[in-house]
Amino acid sequence: MSTEQSAALFERARTVTPGGVNSPVRAFAAVGGTPRFMRSASGAWLTDVDGHDYVDLVCSWGPMLLGHAHPEVQAAIAAAIARGTSYGTPTEPEVELAEEIVSRTPAEQVRFVSSGTEATMSAIRLARGFTGRDVVVKFAGCYHGHVDSLLASAGSGVATLRGSQAHTPGRPLSVPGTAGVPAGSAAETIVLPYNDRDAVTEAFAQYGTRIACLVTEAVPGNMGVVPPAPGFNSFLAQTCREHGALFISDEVMTGFRATREGGWGLDGAIEGWVPDLMTFGKVMGGGFPAAAFGGRSDVMAHLAPEGPVYQAGTLSGNPIATTAGLATLQLATDEVYERLDATAATIRSAVAEALTAAGVPHVVQHAGTMFSVFFREGAVRDYSEAGAQDTATYAAFFHSMLDQGVYLPPSAFECWFVSAAHDDRAVSAILDALPSAATAAATARTTGA
Ligand SMILES: *Cc1c(COP(=O)(O)O)cnc(C)c1O
């Protein structure tokens, strides 16, 4: 497969942009090879600058729930653009999109921002402002955008917790997870292993009066899909309530994707608990930079201009973005979710079948329409188990699929996304490519190639 044009663009890009990309995973560092520069997309398909078509299993990392360039969404966007692109005033589409989100989720009010990062950053500031406390609890392997305090790694705090010794005052709870994060930001963050109730109980027993909030992905999808153990989210909500901390459910990935009601539709809606705050992004922007945070109206009342917690955005609630998001959600009917469920199930079992036939250890995990494939044996319940997989085997599998015209996430730690536009032709293309990709994976495993 010729990648001449992509390679040329990548070279130019690297001159003017660090690593040649505007978000690291796009650089293919985890799988090697030349990142494909895409020229256009339609339905389930991407077309690159060398003219190759790919069935898309990334879907812009989740947003394209209906597929690319959906005619009705495109028409709504075109009509909105014809009316101007940004006014810096309130507009009707913002109200309609907020109403749609409030109608599908337990959030009573929402505030729009422009990225998921901004949504979690703002939700955390609000939780701190509301509770008058500073400490944030998160789980290893959950990603909440590149917010300073959430790019923390478990430090001595957790080691201390594990030993059940008293924490030394002034000692940081966690350490920066990347260069550039001030130690002070990470110091106020506690990082715990996912699905570990004891760790949560211990952290709250020790720091409960200082904890402003616990933030978790509704279903973790950023270490691959790692579903919460039954009752885990309910336990988190309950623990937060007991200690006067807020429970923040990050639904940036799961929102309007895992189910019609997001990740909450898989447990909260059934078990009868609600998060204090939630964050949304991806699908709700219909392919534009739009995100939101929301929740209890008494908490949201603490936001400016009603309350003392400052938060703002020049392009927040942008009329084109909110129009695209609204059109997407209005078209995302129960039938669409049934279709996504069925398509995801077909692909999941075909992947498992092909890898089994080739003798490649794997486990496929899912939550609603979201799923991912781990190249290891045995269920994955937390980040350390997600990390114990064979990434070199995944790279071989990925490249074989890519060569056969299937675009998978260029990292073993990512969720696979389908759209309602994945029809029989698209699904067949995936199924046809699987056996030889599984063979390539098996060969890489045995030769270490
Ligand atoms: C993608 C994602 C974010 C960050 O959203 P951006 O729009 O990339 O800033 C936050 N939380 C979760 C769960 C996500 O999947």
Side-chain angles (χ1 to χ4, degrees), residues 27 35 40 48 63 66 69 107 140-141 147 172 198 204 215 223 240 267 274 277 291 303 323 326 355 385 401 421-422:
S40 64
D48 76 9
L66 304 174
V147 180
D198 292 345
F204 275 85
V215 57
M223 52 176 146
C240 286
D267 51 17
V274 301
L277 290 175
L303 273 185
T323 296
L326 181 64
L355 291 173
E385 289 178 348
M401 293 295 279
H422 282 67

Side-chain angles (χ1 to χ4, degrees), residues 115-117 120 143-145 217 222 250 252-253 282:
S115 72
T117 295
T120 56
Y143 178 68
H144 305 289
E217 288 185 59
N222 283 292
D250 181 351
V252 172
M253 182 185 286
K282 299 196 167 105

